[in-house]
Amino acid sequence: MKKILSVVGARPNFMKIAPVDKALRRYGREVSHKICHTGQHFDDFMSKIFFDDLKMPRPAFYLGVGGGSHASQTARIMLELEKVFETEHPDLVIVPGDVNSTMAAALVASKMSIPIAHVEAGLRSFDKTMPEEINRIVTDVVSDYLFVTEHSGIRNLRDEGIDNDKIFFVGNTMIDTLEAHYDLIEASPVTANMGLTQGKYILATFHRPTNVDDKESLAALMATLGHLAGHRKVVFPVHPRTMKNIREHELEKAIPRNLIITQPLGYIEFLSLMRYAELVITDSGGIQEETTYLGVQCITVRKNTERPVTIDVGTNHLVGTDLEKVEKTALDILGGITKPGRIPELWDGKAARRIAEIIVEE
Ligand code: UD1
């Protein structure tokens, strides 16, 4: 029996690993699978609620590392993980996504000569000022199995000289999770509970350091949402990083009164808000993909995206960080100038099954 250990730490990791765990359980005679949670995200509404919503097993290991600077957070994850790998001796470590926990786990495993599988390999924004870009590059270079979600990922890995035999185009496990919970998402009472008319409100999320760490950018962003709230109701679930900055910059009074502010929501409630939104405005990575799958218009307030398929075939509008342009594009969309979208290749709910099959066969 081979031992597989998946390392997760931050909110977007959980929905990417849940279907992999489920798919590996089908091979219970060949492999055992355990989850290690680094504790990078620690609030119940950033972590526990996802394990509950997605019916994931409790992590076998919890490292409790918490927040901090990149160096200290990454270093603490590495020190704690080394101990887990030393006692557990996994035959394979799986790391999803691009957060600090992903890179830290990949580095520790590679130094201990433990094979690594990267779920969501090959994505590149070509912007090294993003911490995630460094995490992606480092993780991919030490990984043995690179599971790719879109064609650009294959190209990027080949361009970086990664051996073709290591690259597997499998689709998107986050979309597996969305597909598996689609009925619950559609049936959620969240829109009614919040007094929203389906198809007639805007959902907004912001947490990228470039948008929310600087006082002026954050204030301007909230003002833009305030203007749009003059046209449609705007729901704004606030990420802990964003809330911390609102408090530190004493911007509580700058929050427009007409915004519907909530704390971060659970998976089903949030995806239901996304499903029925007329427009989503975000700087998230994953939300660009989820809106593309759902066919919901999405404005991405970033200068680049590592997920170009959401622009090329999906409903994503990459508009940059000029907020006048964001507002104009939003008003165009509300006025009916929308982008038709298709679902990208292999985003069919079966990516995790492909991954499990490859892992077990190899
Ligand atoms: C992290 C990921 C980012 C991902 C995002 C999704 C990195 C470099 N960044 O960003 O790629 O898009 O998660 O949410 O890995 N905090 C809490 N409670 C929590 C979690 C965070 O209060 O449960 C606060 C802490 O003050 C923490 C800060 O938010 O220091 C930032 O958290 P951190 O994990 O460092 O980065 P995120 O901005 O969440």
Side-chain angles (χ1 to χ4, degrees):
M1 169 92 71
K2 297 281 187 189
K3 289 203 260 180
I4 303 177
L5 186 65
S6 287
V7 181
V8 294
R11 184 168 64 176
N13 290 160
F14 309 135
M15 41 288 226
K16 290 170 192 166
I17 222 63
V20 176
D21 175 68
K22 207 167 152 217
L24 285 171
R25 272 169 208 288
R26 293 172 164 211
Y27 298 95
R29 264 186 265 164
E30 288 99 336
V31 297
S32 72
H33 181 232
K34 287 185 189 169
I35 294 174
C36 173
H37 187 326
T38 64
Q40 176 176 346
H41 283 177
F42 43 88
D43 288 346
D44 280 356
F45 54 78
M46 292 300 284
S47 176
K48 183 178 176 297
I49 194 166
F50 293 89
F51 281 78
D52 294 344
D53 270 7
L54 305 177
K55 303 203 167 42
M56 281 167 77
R58 299 280 122 221
F61 306 95
Y62 185 79
L63 310 181
V65 300
S69 72
H70 285 271
S72 72
Q73 187 179 59
T74 308
R76 273 182 281 132
I77 299 170
M78 290 178 71
L79 288 172
E80 293 305 315
L81 265 181
E82 188 178 48
K83 296 179 206 158
V84 173
F85 292 173
E86 266 167 4
T87 53
E88 195 58 16
H89 295 294
D91 297 290
L92 177 74
V93 167
I94 303 181
V95 292
D98 57 13
V99 302
N100 286 347
S101 300
T102 312
M103 182 191 70
L107 277 178
V108 177
S110 76
K111 298 270 177 135
M112 295 173 79
S113 303
I114 303 166
I116 303 158
H118 185 203
V119 173
E120 199 189 81
L123 296 181
R124 295 288 182 270
S125 66
F126 302 101
D127 174 2
K128 285 195 185 150
T129 65
M130 280 181 86
E132 293 80 5
E133 184 74 352
I134 310 296
N135 294 342
R136 293 181 199 114
I137 294 170
V138 173
T139 303
D140 283 340
V141 90
V142 297
S143 288
D144 303 277
Y145 300 90
L146 296 121
F147 294 118
V148 174
T149 53
E150 60 166 280
H151 285 286
S152 74
I154 307 174
R155 279 197 304 276
N156 295 334
L157 293 173
R158 283 187 188 149
D159 288 351
E160 287 171 24
I162 304 263
D163 190 349
N164 233 344
D165 298 346
K166 295 182 179 174
I167 305 172
F168 302 90
F169 177 40
V170 291
N172 192 325
T173 64
M174 196 182 60
I175 300 300
D176 293 3
T177 296
L178 175 44
E179 212 247 10
H181 295 83
Y182 195 74
D183 291 347
L184 287 173
I185 289 164
E186 282 216 303
S188 164
V190 67
T191 45
N193 291 348
M194 292 177 81
L196 300 166
T197 308
Q198 294 185 349
K200 282 278 168 226
Y201 62 89
I202 298 171
L203 174 65
T205 79
F206 291 97
H207 74 284
R208 290 275 157 226
T210 43
N211 282 328
V212 305
D213 284 4
D214 169 66
K215 184 176 179 180
E216 276 69 41
S217 310
L218 181 55
L221 204 49
M222 289 198 296
T224 301
L225 296 183
H227 299 167
L228 292 171
H231 300 265
R232 293 288 190 278
K233 285 187 177 171
V234 176
V235 188
F236 182 27
V238 186
H239 187 281
R241 178 183 205 103
T242 310
M243 188 46 87
K244 192 171 140 192
N245 285 313
I246 289 176
R247 292 207 183 101
E248 276 179 19
H249 297 318
E250 295 174 358
L251 283 173
E252 285 98 335
K253 289 211 181 81
I255 301 177
R257 289 235 189 92
N258 51 0
L259 294 187
I260 303 173
I261 301 273
T262 74
Q263 65 170 31
L265 301 168
Y267 181 75
I268 302 293
E269 285 198 327
F270 186 73
L271 267 287
S272 188
L273 281 180
M274 206 192 293
R275 155 75 179 82
Y276 292 115
E278 184 173 8
L279 166 65
V280 176
I281 307 181
T282 190
D283 58 9
S284 153
I287 292 173
Q288 299 172 57
E289 297 184 338
E290 289 164 331
T291 47
T292 277
Y293 183 80
L294 294 168
V296 171
Q297 301 296 308
C298 176
I299 291 180
T300 298
V301 185
R302 282 176 48 187
K303 291 188 182 134
N304 47 57
T305 179
E306 59 289 332
R307 294 162 160 92
V309 75
T310 62
I311 308 288
D312 299 340
V313 310
T315 47
N316 190 17
H317 307 246
L318 183 68
V319 298
T321 50
D322 173 352
L323 293 176
E324 276 179 27
K325 204 164 164 211
V326 170
E327 202 170 320
K328 186 187 173 304
T329 310
L331 292 176
D332 283 350
I333 291 171
L334 299 180
I337 306 176
T338 58
K339 194 175 161 192
R342 278 185 291 112
I343 295 177
E345 193 182 341
L346 295 190
W347 290 18
D348 58 0
K350 296 178 188 139
R353 272 183 251 174
R354 294 186 191 103
I355 289 173
E357 211 177 289
I358 293 164
I359 287 176
V360 172
E361 267 175 22
E362 302 257 335

